[in-house]
Amino acid sequence: MDEALLRSLTPSVLAVLVRRGADFAAAEDAVQDALVEAVRVWPADPPRDPKAWLVTVAWRRFLDAARADASRRRREDLVDEEPAPGPAPAVDDTLQLYFLCAHPSLTPSSAVALTLRAVGGLTTRQIAQAYLVPEATMAQRISRAKRTVSGARLDRPGDVATVLRVLYLVFNEGYSGDVDLAAEAVRLTRQLAAVIDHPEVAGLLALMLLHHARRATRTAPDGSLVPLAEQDRSRWDTKAIAEGVRILQAALARDRLGEFQAQAAIAALHADAPTAGETDWVQIVEWYDELVRLTGSPVVRLNRAVAVGEADGPPAGLAALAELDDSLPRHAAAAAYLHERNGDPATAARLYAEAARKAPNLAERDYLTRQAARLNARRCR
């Protein structure tokens, strides 16, 4: 059974049903029924046209459900519109389906869950495991999201920026349970790039590939974090890096710079450096300047301050950091790093300990705690 094929066909089949007049929630249920039937039937009797088979079965399941639901009697008229068997139409509504799942009325978490379910073809159980929540909780979240977008149609221009933000959130979830969300985000972004010609879509895909290329080196065998400067660069995925750089260069050549392209440019400079000491920090600061101009984000300014500390020396980095609100996430960790580089281990140790208490996850907390302990032990010798 080709599970990858089923998942790749899911969004286009769902989009066909919605375009024919099915509301989103009912169409999604019908598609899931068709996928279950495919798993049962295809191993013994594979269809010549898998997409047409799924569309036909899903449409019939939708019509059966419509007939059985007295509150939806108006859908009886759709029975006469059942298309004749044959190849599915070549129209690709996948892009509009992305827009629908990233509807502005949905919360980010609901948009991510609905995208993984409807576009990604994941089961509710897989999504729940990935987010470490009970399956019933995720089912309710997805049901609410489906109800919210059920009245929307696939006939309006969508907001590309919202879709990209949702995919970026999926990527940043990384890996948990039996679903690799980072790899899933790369797959979905590739799919999006195939149906829309937009430099920021290319920029996001490049960014994901460049970050994903370093994944194997981000943690030690015991699960502890390995900072970028200490990663074994010989283990980076050079094929993914080359692809990411190629995609980024083509996007930048279009001279429509966006934040994902700028982030990808920074990631490319890190990937291009043979060693941490050979990193072109001056160029990285210049790209952070562009990113600040594009976003105005305080978090971007925080990252820029660290880059300034590498390019122009720790005092310059600390001066840039002093201009920012010290309640920013990871502000204490950045300050600790710069103070250590500036020859002030006592202040650095105190700030590492403070950063550990504020860490968003266990792995980061353990890393920062070890940094504080290392500096304190050095002072006691």
Side-chain angles (χ1 to χ4, degrees):
M1 189 67 218
D2 191 344
E3 183 180 344
L5 174 63
L6 281 179
R7 288 169 60 183
S8 68
L9 291 174
T10 296
S12 57
V13 174
L14 176 56
V16 169
L17 266 66
V18 173
R19 180 158 46 82
R20 287 179 180 176
D23 71 72
F24 185 90
E28 208 273 338
D29 289 341
V31 171
Q32 293 299 319
D33 287 344
L35 294 175
V36 171
E37 186 69 5
V39 171
R40 187 182 71 82
V41 172
W42 285 12
D45 184 20
R48 286 194 299 269
D49 185 339
K51 179 180 175 181
W53 190 98
L54 287 170
V55 168
T56 299
V57 173
W59 184 248
R60 287 173 179 166
R61 292 298 173 91
F62 163 71
L63 291 177
D64 288 344
R67 294 188 192 103
D69 191 342
S71 67
R72 298 178 184 176
R73 291 175 187 262
R74 62 185 179 82
R75 299 190 190 279
E76 290 290 347
D77 293 338
L78 296 173
V79 175
D80 297 330
E81 298 176 16
E82 181 173 357
V91 177
D92 191 345
D93 290 317
T94 304
L95 176 60
Q96 296 299 328
L97 193 60
Y98 273 92
F99 292 142
L100 192 62
C101 292
H103 197 275
S105 62
L106 295 175
T107 64
S109 61
S110 294
V112 166
L114 190 59
T115 298
L116 289 172
R117 167 84 176 195
V119 184
L122 300 182
T123 66
T124 302
R125 175 174 295 180
Q126 287 175 316
I127 301 170
Q129 288 176 341
Y131 279 88
L132 304 178
V133 300
E135 184 176 352
T137 300
M138 185 56 68
Q140 290 176 350
R141 183 180 301 174
I142 292 173
S143 293
R144 285 195 298 268
K146 288 195 292 185
R147 286 196 298 271
T148 298
V149 302
S150 283
R153 304 287 297 182
L154 295 182
D155 57 0
R156 298 180 183 177
D159 181 5
V160 176
T162 302
V163 174
L164 296 183
R165 192 68 57 194
V166 169
L167 291 173
Y168 191 52
L169 288 172
V170 175
F171 182 79
N172 285 334
E173 288 297 328
Y175 175 85
S176 58
D178 66 348
V179 178
D180 184 340
L181 288 181
E184 187 66 17
V186 172
R187 184 181 74 84
L188 294 177
T189 306
R190 281 190 190 281
Q191 190 178 63
L192 181 63
V195 294
I196 183 171
D197 182 22
H198 194 290
E200 271 294 82
V201 176
L204 179 58
L205 179 56
L207 176 64
M208 289 180 176
L209 289 168
L210 290 164
H211 279 312
H212 207 50
R214 305 198 301 260
R215 173 172 174 170
T217 64
R218 286 202 181 102
T219 56
D222 63 0
S224 59
L225 289 182
V226 179
L228 178 61
E230 299 172 19
Q231 291 174 12
D232 180 358
R233 298 181 180 224
S234 68
R235 295 176 57 209
W236 286 359
D237 185 343
T238 54
K239 183 179 178 181
I241 290 172
E243 182 186 5
V245 169
R246 184 173 66 253
I247 293 171
L248 173 63
Q249 288 174 338
L252 291 175
R254 300 177 65 174
D255 199 25
R256 290 169 56 194
L257 184 64
E259 63 176 293
F260 289 119
Q261 294 170 75
Q263 287 189 54
I266 293 168
L269 287 167
H270 283 299
D272 186 56
T275 66
E278 296 173 85
T279 303
D280 190 343
W281 286 106
V282 173
Q283 265 205 81
I284 287 177
V285 170
E286 291 174 355
W287 278 111
Y288 270 123
D289 288 339
E290 291 289 347
L291 203 49
V292 168
R293 180 181 62 80
L294 288 166
T295 68
S297 166
V299 174
V300 171
R301 292 179 186 276
L302 179 70
N303 292 331
R304 178 188 176 278
V306 176
V308 168
E310 299 287 1
D312 301 328
L318 288 168
L321 196 63
E323 299 174 2
L324 304 175
D325 187 343
D326 62 9
S327 66
L328 278 173
R330 297 186 173 88
H331 185 284
Y337 174 76
L338 291 171
H339 276 291
E340 181 181 359
R341 289 282 315 282
N342 201 38
D344 186 356
T347 301
R350 176 178 58 79
L351 288 168
Y352 275 130
E354 177 186 334
R357 292 191 294 271
K358 299 177 180 178
N361 57 68
L362 183 61
E364 192 170 329
R365 186 193 72 188
D366 289 347
Y367 171 77
L368 294 167
T369 300
R370 287 196 303 274
Q371 295 300 97
R374 174 179 57 82
L375 292 179
N376 284 327
R378 184 184 301 173
R379 290 169 55 214
C380 293
R381 285 201 296 267

